[in-house]
Amino acid sequence: KIIPAALAMVLILLATAALQAQERRRSLGPYTMYEQIVYQAKQERLMTWLSHDMNHGRATGTRDAARVARYIETHFRQYGLEPFCAGSFYQPFLADSASGTVGRNVIGFVPSAVPSDEYVLITAHYDHLGVLDGNIYNGADDNASGVTVLLNLADMFGTMKKTRTGPDKNIIFAALDAKELNMAGSKALVGRLQEREMTDSILCAINIDQIGTVIEPVHEADTSFVIVLGEQTLRRQDRGLIDMCNRYYNIGLDIDHTFYGSENFTRLFYQLSDQIVFHEAGIPALVFTSGFHRHTYKTTDDPDIISYPVMKKRTLLIFYLTMML
């Protein structure tokens, strides 16, 4: 009689401990366990490789761009993503008809844990200026930072799928080529989505472009900031989610939904990157950025200007927003 009673007590204690642990997780939010996937050494490794001199600025159509595309594909496979383009991670396209330059997007996706016809599209362009007048434009912030965040998010959602804890919608990850050639990569992707009659199924396109610095904060006293444009394009029920996620998950970012308070610059900046292509195709589209700065399109855009702790906060905000959409 003593042994069964002791066993019952042990089971009660174990059950109580499990409930307490579950309650702690619930108090922090259901997905905080994935935050540990994003850490500085990993961010630095990705950023350093992408913006290394050996890649010669990742100009579209070069061997260097092809090397970077293979690097992204390798990580997509490692994270458990599935090919998006008829069994391939690559979508080749004609980037410039005058020169015959061919680009290629690298696209993978994480299917929903349960059948769903809803998608979230997350994009970041991996091309940059290449070599001009013998100078290498490495483009660490523009846009190795965006690709670093994209890969971290792919790892987070890939892990979620492997552990069968989600996601509840399909997530497409697209590393876009040829943004610097009139956004040819995003236009090619939109064409593919239209062919597959998918545009109405995409809840939001989240574009990540120049997201690694704290050089030009929205408010001078707070360098933990992010600029998010395009919230008005979201479904009515999704407006306000960005700020809600920032508060609920204690991310602590200073979020500006304008471009430094200027209506004209907000409208202009929104048109300067790939989100405008998705928006014009009828897809709700956001851009996450840390804005322009003195290193933009300069040879000094190297990894030493990146703030990894703040870039992690921005990554987490996109992660939670994607879950809440």
Side-chain angles (χ1 to χ4, degrees), residues 285-304:
L286 301 171
V287 57
F288 283 72
T289 184
S290 51
F292 293 135
H293 47 76
R294 60 184 177 275
H295 302 285
T296 301
Y297 287 141
K298 302 290 198 310
T299 57
T300 52
D301 185 359
D302 286 317
D304 59 356

Side-chain angles (χ1 to χ4, degrees), residues 201-218:
S201 300
I202 298 177
L203 303 178
C204 182
I206 300 174
N207 187 42
I208 310 166
D209 197 352
Q210 291 186 250
I211 200 168
T213 68
V214 295
I215 296 172
E216 296 290 342
V218 172

Side-chain angles (χ1 to χ4, degrees), residues 160-173:
M160 184 180 292
K161 179 63 176 176
K162 291 175 186 176
T163 56
R164 301 182 180 181
T165 53
D168 62 357
K169 61 186 74 68
N170 306 283
I171 316 295
I172 303 171
F173 295 91

Side-chain angles (χ1 to χ4, degrees), residues 211-232:
I211 200 168
T213 68
V214 295
I215 296 172
E216 296 290 342
V218 172
H219 300 108
E220 192 171 332
D222 192 352
T223 56
S224 289
F225 76 100
V226 68
I227 296 169
V228 188
L229 305 182
E231 187 178 40
Q232 75 281 359

